[in-house]
Amino acid sequence: MTHPAAPGGQSATGTRPYGVEPSLPLVGIVGGMGPLASTELLRTVYHTGDGRPEQQTPRVLLWSDPAVVDRTEAIGTGDLEPLYRAVENAVRGLVTAGAQRVVVACVTAHKVLGDLPPDLLTRCVSLVDVVHEELVRTPRPHLLLCTKGTAQAGILTSGPYADRAARHLVMLRPDDQDALHREVYRVKRGGDPLRTAGFLRDTLPRYGVRSFVAACTELHLVTRAIAATGRSDEFPAIDPLTVVAQRIKNGEL
């Protein structure tokens, strides 16, 4: 016998209509910036199982809307209102749908994250904070790999952990930043992410570092491709999406 659902996702008898009590919080992901990166984040969340029943695996809502203004262009022109509206709309939509925590899967879009109203901002997990926490935990030089917009806006050199974390960041020179930006957009358009290993192999030694920060979510495709070939030790990285995926799996986000 079935019972009509009551407000709040409960049935008229007070039990969940699905018959299973969730073991993990519902997480929202603001994706689509770009869609391949946020899809890969979902793959990372679910790819490596740990023997749990399906009903006990992570609960995720993906808001994937690629029709968002180019973040680097918005920062370059100073017209951030369309970007802000898109991020606010997505976060609010996910919270309204029941998300308890929200990840904006675009580092450059974090330029407007702090402008969200408090009721939304408190639900958001900052990828910038995740990077800074990892830099403090592994205090050695890391080459900062990000979009031109992220670099221009200084997104990774601000925030509550910036004083302790930013000292471990090595910045790209303008010519290398331009080359990386082109590489990111090649991956965005579906190019083979493993080819970016060539950029890393050429660039890291010139800056005297072994490690890098994957501070653009497209680079999550790169770190995953490298891991799939068993070469992660060759290119040690702080990848905030990998950290977030693990926290989602553990219910620790």
Side-chain angles (χ1 to χ4, degrees), residues 14-202:
T15 59
R16 282 176 58 85
Y18 310 113
V20 177
E21 290 298 325
S23 60
L24 294 171
L26 186 60
V27 174
I29 296 173
V30 179
M33 301 180 286
L36 294 177
S38 49
T39 302
E40 189 66 22
L41 172 57
L42 275 184
R43 283 173 50 85
T44 305
V45 168
Y46 290 113
H47 180 66
T48 305
D50 54 10
R52 283 181 283 183
E54 177 181 299
Q55 290 75 17
Q56 296 175 16
T57 54
R59 305 164 62 228
V60 179
L61 295 173
L62 174 62
W63 181 294
S64 185
D65 183 5
V68 178
V69 63
D70 184 281
R71 280 66 66 197
T72 290
E73 289 182 8
I75 289 171
T77 63
D79 183 10
L80 295 171
E81 183 62 23
L83 176 58
Y84 172 81
R85 288 199 306 270
V87 171
E88 181 187 23
N89 185 54
V91 174
R92 191 174 299 281
L94 288 166
V95 169
T96 300
Q100 294 156 272
R101 302 292 277 162
V102 176
V103 178
V104 177
C106 174
V107 176
T108 314
H110 279 55
K111 171 65 177 174
V112 300
L113 195 66
D115 297 325
L116 293 176
D119 64 311
L120 299 182
L121 185 57
T122 55
R123 299 291 188 100
C124 292
V125 176
S126 167
L127 296 182
V128 173
D129 288 352
V130 169
V131 168
H132 287 170
E133 290 164 9
E134 292 298 305
L135 283 169
V136 170
R137 192 177 64 82
T138 56
R140 61 175 180 267
H142 287 72
L143 191 63
L144 176 59
L145 301 186
C146 62
T147 64
K148 289 170 66 175
T150 294
Q152 179 182 339
I155 292 171
L156 268 295
T157 55
S158 59
Y161 298 93
D163 287 346
R164 288 185 294 161
R167 71 185 69 173
H168 303 302
L169 290 174
V170 178
M171 307 299 177
L172 288 173
R173 293 184 287 270
D175 55 338
D176 286 326
Q177 182 64 67
D178 288 343
L180 174 64
H181 196 80
R182 291 192 296 271
E183 190 67 21
V184 163
Y185 276 71
R186 183 188 64 79
V187 174
K188 264 186 187 293
R189 298 183 180 108
D192 181 3
L194 196 55
R195 278 183 50 192
T196 306
F199 175 88
L200 296 173
R201 189 180 299 107
D202 174 66

